[in-house]
Amino acid sequence: MHPVRPIAGLVLLAAASAASAHVSYTGRDFIINGTFDGVGTYTLNEQRVRSNYGWADAADADWGDSHRGRFLRFTLTEAANVTIDVAAQSGAGSVLGDLIPGFSLYSGVVPNLAHEGSDAPGYVANHPGFLPTSPYFVENGSRVGDKEGAWRALDSFWLGNDAGESAEVVHLGHAFDGNGIDVSDDGVTDLVGDGNPDGRVTAQFLLGPGTYSVVVGGASYISQYTEDAATLIANRAFSASITLAPVPEPETWALTAGGLVMLALARRRRQTLA
Ligand SMILES: [Ca+2]
Ligand SMILES: [Ca+2]
Ligand SMILES: [Ca+2]
């Protein structure tokens, strides 16, 4: 069994940076103003995400903290074959370059400054397991309710902000670097990675017109128990790109309600973890 996670240190840092740490897509649009010219590669360099465990921690039964993910977005005005690539980048100063990247793709975006424990109506209704009090964890290390955040890496999730705005993003797929993750802590791997732990992960999707979120985080589940306090929440640097190609034979694929048919990545069954 793993030792109790050192969450007290997390709380202090989260509180100190809470005003700027909530979800923001500003400066994280792959395609500026939603313009789509049919083909091309769009890259966001020198992105950062705090911790090396956020994605994996959002893949387990008690969900994860959206502050440990980096939210990127793009808009397609027509259907496209989209390759998403995320790679660790060398860091500068206190920014580390050791990210084991994972990402999830969602249809839609959440409102600016969305966060766990927001004042948006419906927060508790959309987060079974949270109690109707503001903080989603407290300073003695005990969580309020049985969820540690609202981010779900393997499923859709809902977030709101203190202005009362809210939205659900619909999970379309995910991929992560490495040989697999044991998110139920029983010694058995639950999630299969890309099999090549090289700091990079790539997956391909057929997408219809619409706006999409790509949420990037660390896929090192074990690091939340093994890293020292400073390393645990250190920023990790990464680059992310999307490459668009025309859809070759539109009659051979059908748009789902969410506008997606997956190509290279078999959709994982929804995880119900004991
Ligand atoms: Ca978790
Ligand atoms: Ca397991
Ligand atoms: Ca890889």
Side-chain angles (χ1 to χ4, degrees):
M1 295 294 294
H2 296 298
V4 174
R5 72 184 63 191
I7 199 165
L10 279 180
V11 171
L12 289 174
L13 281 157
S17 59
S20 61
H22 300 327
V23 171
S24 169
Y25 296 93
T26 302
R28 302 185 187 107
D29 292 281
F30 284 106
I31 304 173
I32 303 301
N33 298 325
T35 302
F36 174 54
D37 61 6
V39 63
T41 295
Y42 304 82
T43 302
L44 291 168
N45 274 310
E46 299 176 16
Q47 297 298 306
R48 298 177 180 184
V49 65
R50 181 169 287 184
S51 90
N52 203 0
Y53 66 81
W55 187 89
D57 199 30
D60 67 8
D62 60 7
W63 310 354
D65 183 352
S66 68
H67 301 87
R68 302 283 172 258
R70 186 57 83 195
F71 285 61
L72 320 171
R73 69 182 170 192
F74 62 93
T75 297
L76 300 178
T77 55
E78 57 189 88
N81 193 335
V82 180
T83 301
I84 301 174
D85 179 83
V86 180
Q89 267 188 324
S90 59
S94 61
V95 179
L96 303 179
D98 63 349
L99 182 69
I100 298 173
F103 72 84
S104 295
L105 172 68
Y106 307 88
S107 173
V109 295
V110 300
N112 193 39
L113 297 179
H115 66 99
E116 280 86 350
S118 76
D119 294 337
Y123 184 80
V124 173
N126 282 280
H127 295 93
F130 286 94
L131 298 176
T133 50
S134 181
Y136 66 101
F137 50 35
V138 294
E139 291 191 11
N140 66 7
S142 298
R143 295 194 299 271
V144 177
D146 61 7
K147 294 291 186 291
E148 62 183 10
W151 182 14
R152 307 183 76 184
L154 308 182
D155 213 332
S156 307
F157 67 95
W158 182 103
L159 271 180
N161 63 19
D162 290 340
E165 302 167 314
S166 65
E168 182 184 48
V169 290
V170 177
H171 177 269
L172 300 177
H174 57 269
F176 68 94
D177 181 40
N179 291 319
I181 305 175
D182 171 16
V183 294
S184 59
D185 195 25
D186 61 358
V188 179
T189 296
D190 307 292
L191 302 174
V192 178
D194 69 1
N196 180 18
D198 59 353
R200 164 166 247 145
V201 66
T202 302
Q204 192 175 55
F205 308 87
L206 276 180
L207 300 177
T211 297
Y212 299 90
S213 295
V214 178
V215 185
V216 175
S220 175
Y221 196 78
I222 192 69
S223 73
Q224 62 190 309
Y225 306 110
T226 57
E227 291 185 336
D228 62 47
T231 308
L232 186 70
I233 43 74
N235 277 309
R236 264 71 178 196
F238 68 91
S239 66
S241 70
I242 61 171
T243 299
L244 307 181
V247 176
E249 297 179 33
E251 67 274 16
T252 65
W253 57 282
L255 285 176
T256 67
L260 173 96
V261 174
M262 305 199 54
L263 273 186
L265 184 68
R267 181 165 185 176
R268 305 288 306 167
R269 66 178 173 82
R270 292 189 176 188
Q271 303 290 320
T272 304
L273 301 170

